[in-house]
Amino acid sequence: MSHGEFAFIRDHLLPLTRGDRAALELSDDAACLELSGNSLLASDMLVEGVHFLRSDGPAVAAQRAFGSNLSDLAAMGAIPRGFLCTVCWPTRYSTADREAFVDALGVVAAAENLALLGGDMTRADAPLTISLTMIGETTSDPLRRNGAKPGDQLFVSGTIGDAVLGLSIAKGELDKQDFLLERYQRPQARIELGQTLLNKATACIDISDGLAADAQHLARESGVGLEIEGALIPWSAPVLHWLENEGRAGVETLITGGDDYELLFTAPVEHAASILALKRTLGVDVTWIGQVVEGEGVRIQDEMGVPLDIETSGFTHF
Ligand SMILES: [Mg+2]
């Protein structure tokens, strides 16, 4: 390790361990973490030009990598315990670019009180490539995608479609609106909600590929069908405003766009009241949007009961 690398670790990465002893001050070959109950591990890779724009810059790349990875732990109701960060810096990156990435990662991780436990960094003539590994635990059975039963109710947290419009803003295709841009640039994982849903929800998934596609994933894993009332899908005020001129095609864009990082989950009717009350207790909007039925697939219908003809395959990475 060169002196420069050592100084970078000491000055910029070591603070991200937040004094967590498991990191062993980033001076050993591996971290040493003691976990109780079920250990949950999730890893995701983001590549510049594929999962974020080159023009987003290093800080936004870090925020998106962190939020999207953490969202996978939220989907299973896990308590996050730490994370590993592996990055390939493009050769064009200056020290200031690397610092901007690490500093932004430190801010979002501190907001979740989450420690960096290790990882690796290298440099190549390649696009910025980031892989985070999230480590979490649950004391009871984690939430899975496969437990939805006919008769269960279907809920979604937050609002849908903000990030896909945020991406359009980042591309310069839409006028800037801070709320939408922030939803794209800094995803917020629903960690607390996920933990609250343990022992309540029968199935849960985080929405990364779009409401339609992730509903499809949940339906398939549970071996059920899902009926979604299109008129009940929650939109934010800026999205509602945008929809005024877009109509049905706009709804398709919003539910197939992805990057929402909201939770889509099912629960028996008897838990519906306590789930809808989470807005008061957790401050997270939860909306009832439909139900689980016998059969397969996802049917999204408008207020007249006419099915929306949507492509539910969602974002594909290849
Ligand atoms: Mg996921």
Side-chain angles (χ1 to χ4, degrees):
M1 198 190 306
S2 73
H3 177 71
E5 273 175 88
F6 182 79
F8 187 78
I9 292 170
R10 184 195 58 207
D11 296 342
H12 295 282
L13 294 173
L14 198 54
L16 269 64
T17 65
R18 307 177 59 72
D20 192 320
R21 289 170 53 202
L24 304 177
E25 297 180 331
L26 304 180
S27 59
D28 273 278
D29 294 298
C32 182
L33 182 62
E34 207 175 302
L35 293 166
S36 54
N38 299 300
S39 308
L40 290 132
L41 307 163
S43 183
D44 222 351
M45 185 182 283
L46 280 80
V47 180
E48 180 183 73
V50 180
H51 304 93
F52 57 91
L53 308 171
R54 178 168 166 159
S55 59
D56 286 336
V60 167
Q63 291 168 191
R64 282 185 49 74
F66 186 84
S68 61
N69 273 269
L70 193 60
S71 181
D72 282 331
L73 287 192
M76 299 193 73
I79 301 165
R81 285 297 310 273
F83 69 103
L84 308 174
C85 175
T86 300
V87 182
C88 180
W89 308 116
T91 42
R92 69 172 201 276
Y93 259 36
S94 64
T95 305
D97 290 324
R98 296 197 297 273
E99 287 175 9
F101 178 94
V102 172
D103 292 350
L105 188 63
V107 170
V108 287
E112 300 289 344
N113 199 20
L114 208 55
L116 175 72
L117 300 181
D120 193 20
M121 294 190 172
T122 184
R123 195 179 155 110
D125 187 12
L128 175 62
T129 304
I130 309 154
S131 176
L132 300 190
T133 299
M134 290 286 167
I135 304 156
E137 60 188 333
T138 57
T139 45
S140 56
D141 287 341
L143 300 170
R144 302 276 311 271
R145 298 176 176 184
N146 65 0
K149 303 269 182 311
D152 283 353
Q153 304 301 298
L154 181 67
F155 303 88
V156 71
S157 66
T159 50
I160 297 300
D162 303 319
V164 70
L165 297 191
L167 173 61
S168 294
I169 293 169
K171 286 176 173 170
E173 298 166 356
L174 210 63
D175 288 344
K176 188 171 176 211
Q177 289 181 75
D178 290 338
F179 169 80
L180 298 176
L181 190 60
E182 173 100 357
R183 289 276 280 162
Y184 164 73
Q185 292 185 336
R186 190 173 166 167
Q188 299 287 317
R190 299 294 191 186
I191 285 293
E192 211 182 353
L193 176 63
Q195 288 164 24
T196 307
L197 293 175
L198 288 168
N199 306 314
K200 276 200 180 83
T202 47
C204 185
I205 189 169
D206 71 313
I207 303 176
S208 53
D209 296 346
L211 173 65
D214 286 312
Q216 192 76 49
H217 298 147
L218 190 149
R220 191 178 53 234
E221 292 305 319
S222 288
V224 296
L226 294 176
E227 281 180 2
I228 298 177
E229 307 293 335
L232 298 180
I233 297 172
W235 314 120
S236 64
V239 163
L240 263 178
H241 182 73
W242 175 84
L243 261 180
E244 278 170 19
N245 301 317
E246 302 291 329
R248 262 180 114 92
V251 171
E252 272 184 48
T253 301
L254 299 172
I255 64 178
T256 57
D259 280 340
D260 297 297
Y261 303 110
E262 296 295 345
L263 298 185
L264 178 73
F265 58 96
T266 59
V269 179
E270 59 263 33
H271 289 315
S274 70
I275 284 168
L276 294 172
L278 291 173
K279 182 179 169 59
R280 260 186 295 116
T281 50
L282 288 187
V284 177
D285 279 329
V286 175
T287 308
W288 175 75
I289 57 166
Q291 54 265 316
V292 181
V293 295
E294 307 255 3
E296 59 179 35
V298 178
R299 179 187 153 103
I300 304 177
Q301 55 189 20
D302 68 11
E303 54 271 46
M304 308 301 285
V306 180
L308 264 64
D309 183 23
I310 40 142
E311 177 57 58
T312 56
S313 56
F315 180 74
T316 47
H317 300 263
F318 304 103

